[in-house]
């Protein structure tokens, strides 16, 4: 029997460092914004992080911090189910089943794998089959929607292909998931103008202090136009971040000043620091509440995993049956 008739939406994030503005706007915020429309789940993708992080303390701390970050950033556990991937082991079983359907040559086309190879990095088997684990994360929920940032587009394509391959080989069990990639967010620029990313050391962390925010914002590169010059807001990294955190009224005044002249980049950056401070203040307060209440956080994660396992066990029973694996009972 169906527990909930709303379409299922799922997304997750790897615990590989401090959550930043790109992660929040590209992924988590969308799940929060859609909490009333769909049956939403967000998970901490700790198995995915294992491809890189090998230090157990760092691994544990990152996982815990990401749980605090999600709750601090406004994920309401009464509305959105949150769990840690490693608490739902069914996903690894499904990953194996999918691995036996997907060809190596197809996985070799994955951007993440190709980039690592191009850089001459050693690629472990986990990194190579990352798209299969991600497909399993998504499909085991029978998700319809997957909000992610632009850089995950190819991974969603893989999940769709895996679903089609399974459905045509065995039985039509999996809906074909759709990525939800917001044009209005696009790729959030980092403090060096490239994509904001933990791996580029160019982030504005979501829980940064005022001083840290100021230091980061002042680093954002701009062109050499003077105060009175026309500036194209679309070409400006500072304005791009304004468009995410500055209230609409102030944003349209700012846009006008960019177009008509009368604002320098220094002032625009100072205004951005103010906007970020007020946008992030409630986040800091909420995170510090959860930090002081670790037992509550543990309970939330446990409850999320229990709820998820009911669903994943149901899916796996269907999957095993369709594959001819479970025929004794
Ligand atoms: P990072 O590049 O910092 O390691 P992740 O790969 O952990 O980020 O991404 C977590 C989620 O955040 C993904 O859905 C990803 O698409 C999204 N994301 C990451 N960076 C950005 C960005 N700069 N702009 C928009 N979305 C982003
Ligand atoms: N690959 C995603 C990232 O790097 C994290 C992730 C793992 C994910 N499994 C997922 C996102 C399933 C959405 C759905 O950010």
């Amino acid at each position: 029997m169906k527990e909930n008739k709303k379409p299922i939406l799922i997304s997750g994030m790897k615990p590989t460092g401090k959550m930043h503005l790109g992660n929040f706007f590209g992924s988590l915020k969308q799940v929060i914004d859609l909490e009333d429309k769909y049956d939403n789940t967000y998970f901490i993708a700790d198995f995915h992080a294992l491809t890189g992080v090998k230090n157990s303390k760092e691994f544990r701390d990152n996982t815990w911090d990401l749980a605090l970050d999600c709750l601090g950033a406004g994920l309401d556990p009464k509305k959105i189910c949150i769990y840690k991937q490693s608490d739902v082991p069914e996903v690894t079983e499904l990953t194996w089943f999918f691995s036996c359907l997907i060809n190596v040559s197809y996985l070799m086309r994955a951007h993440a794998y190709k980039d690592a190879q191009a850089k001459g990095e050693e690629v472990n088997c986990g990194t190579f089959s990352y798209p299969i684990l991600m497909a399993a994360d998504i499909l085991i929920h029978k998700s319809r929607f997957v909000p992610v940032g632009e850089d995950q587009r190819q991974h969603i394509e893989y999940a769709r292909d895996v679903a089609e391959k399974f459905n045509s080989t065995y039985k039509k069990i999996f809906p074909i998931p759709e990525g939800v990639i917001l044009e209005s967010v696009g790729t959030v620029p980092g403090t060096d103008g490239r994509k904001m990313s933990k791996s580029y050391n160019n982030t504005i962390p979501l829980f940064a202090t005022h001083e840290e925010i100021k230091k980061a914002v002042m680093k954002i590169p701009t062109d050499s136009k003077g105060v009175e010059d026309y500036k194209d807001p679309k070409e400006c990294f500072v304005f791009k971040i304004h468009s995410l955190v500055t209230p609409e009224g102030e944003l349209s005044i700012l846009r006008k000043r960019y177009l008509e002249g009368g604002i320098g980049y220094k002032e625009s950056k100072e205004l951005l620091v103010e906007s970020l401070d007020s946008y992030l203040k409630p986040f800091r307060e909420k995170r510090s509440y959860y930090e002081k209440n670790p037992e509550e956080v543990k309970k939330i994660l446990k409850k999320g995993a229990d709820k998820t396992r009911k669903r994943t066990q149901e899916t796996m029973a269907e999957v095993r049956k369709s594959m001819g694996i479970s025929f004794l009972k």
Side-chain angles (χ1 to χ4, degrees):
M1 206 174 55
K2 290 239 166 62
E3 229 177 75
N4 194 324
K5 292 206 175 62
K6 286 181 186 171
I8 294 169
L9 174 149
I10 171 120
S11 192
M13 203 179 293
K14 282 176 301 187
T16 44
K18 289 184 178 152
M19 190 189 290
H20 55 73
L21 289 180
N23 299 147
F24 176 69
F25 285 101
S27 167
L28 181 60
K29 181 170 186 294
Q30 298 187 59
V31 179
I32 296 174
D33 289 347
L34 295 168
E35 66 188 8
D36 294 321
K37 198 166 170 200
Y38 301 119
D39 176 359
N40 293 2
T41 297
Y42 204 74
F43 73 99
I44 300 171
D46 56 346
F47 277 167
H48 284 267
L50 275 178
T51 60
V53 184
K54 310 292 179 208
N55 176 295
S56 59
K57 181 176 182 317
E58 183 188 345
F59 188 78
R60 202 175 48 225
D61 290 351
N62 281 350
T63 304
W64 184 248
D65 280 344
L66 184 53
L68 296 178
D69 288 353
C70 290
L71 294 165
L75 183 149
D76 176 355
K78 292 199 185 74
K79 295 192 166 175
I80 300 172
C81 173
I82 176 167
Y83 70 94
K84 181 157 77 62
Q85 186 182 28
S86 51
D87 290 339
V88 178
E90 290 79 17
V91 79
T92 53
E93 186 186 359
L94 188 59
T95 302
W96 177 250
F97 295 165
F98 288 163
S99 301
C100 298
L101 282 175
I102 300 304
N103 290 336
V104 168
S105 56
Y106 173 67
L107 277 184
M108 283 172 86
R109 294 203 287 266
H111 299 317
Y113 169 71
K114 286 206 297 196
D115 290 352
Q117 273 239 315
K119 284 190 213 142
E121 289 170 11
E122 288 254 5
V123 178
N124 59 43
C125 296
T127 303
F128 183 63
S129 53
Y130 188 108
I132 306 189
L133 177 57
M134 182 154 164
D137 291 328
I138 296 170
L139 301 178
I140 203 162
H141 285 267
K142 299 195 177 174
S143 308
R144 290 288 318 286
F145 300 106
V146 189
V148 281
E150 178 61 44
D151 59 345
Q152 296 296 309
R153 191 181 285 281
Q154 192 193 33
H155 284 148
I156 305 294
E157 281 305 317
Y158 271 103
R160 292 167 62 88
D161 290 348
V162 170
E164 272 164 11
K165 183 91 197 229
F166 185 97
N167 288 349
S168 63
T169 308
Y170 295 108
K171 187 178 172 206
K172 202 165 173 297
I173 289 182
F174 300 111
I176 309 300
E178 275 171 49
V180 182
I181 300 173
L182 290 187
E183 234 175 82
S184 58
V185 173
T187 299
V188 180
T191 56
D192 56 1
R194 291 188 292 170
K195 167 194 173 282
M196 188 178 288
S197 170
K198 284 167 264 179
S199 33
Y200 296 156
N201 210 2
N202 66 353
T203 68
I204 304 180
L206 210 57
F207 296 93
T209 61
H210 169 80
E211 280 311 313
E212 287 164 343
I213 291 178
K214 200 167 150 195
K215 208 168 143 204
V217 168
M218 292 305 160
K219 273 202 273 185
I220 301 174
T222 51
D223 57 33
S224 56
K225 291 202 176 102
V227 175
E228 296 309 326
D229 293 337
Y230 158 89
K231 299 176 189 68
D232 184 353
K234 286 197 234 66
E235 297 293 316
C236 175
F237 299 130
V238 182
F239 193 90
K240 169 77 203 179
I241 303 178
H242 265 296
S243 68
L244 300 169
V245 295
T246 300
E248 191 42 53
E250 290 167 38
L251 190 68
S252 54
I253 297 172
L254 190 68
R255 185 178 295 110
K256 203 157 169 272
R257 293 181 70 199
Y258 261 68
L259 295 172
E260 291 175 359
I263 185 163
Y265 291 120
K266 184 164 178 286
E267 186 186 344
S268 179
K269 286 181 175 181
E270 283 161 0
L271 292 172
L272 179 59
V273 173
E274 275 176 38
S275 290
L276 280 165
D277 260 336
S278 29
Y279 195 92
L280 300 176
K281 187 166 176 269
F283 290 13
R284 293 181 194 131
E285 288 164 0
K286 206 169 250 170
R287 191 184 192 283
S288 119
Y289 165 82
Y290 282 110
E291 212 174 344
K292 289 185 200 121
N293 292 281
E295 289 310 315
E296 190 175 333
V297 178
K298 286 184 202 161
K299 255 191 224 152
I300 291 169
L301 291 176
K302 163 115 186 30
K303 204 169 152 202
D306 290 346
K307 181 174 173 214
T308 300
R309 287 199 75 189
K310 280 203 191 105
R311 182 188 275 169
T312 55
Q313 282 167 358
E314 259 175 43
T315 307
M316 289 315 290
E318 251 184 288
V319 166
R320 289 185 209 109
K321 194 163 171 228
S322 76
M323 296 173 72
I325 291 175
S326 55
F327 60 90
L328 297 179
K329 38 184 168 104

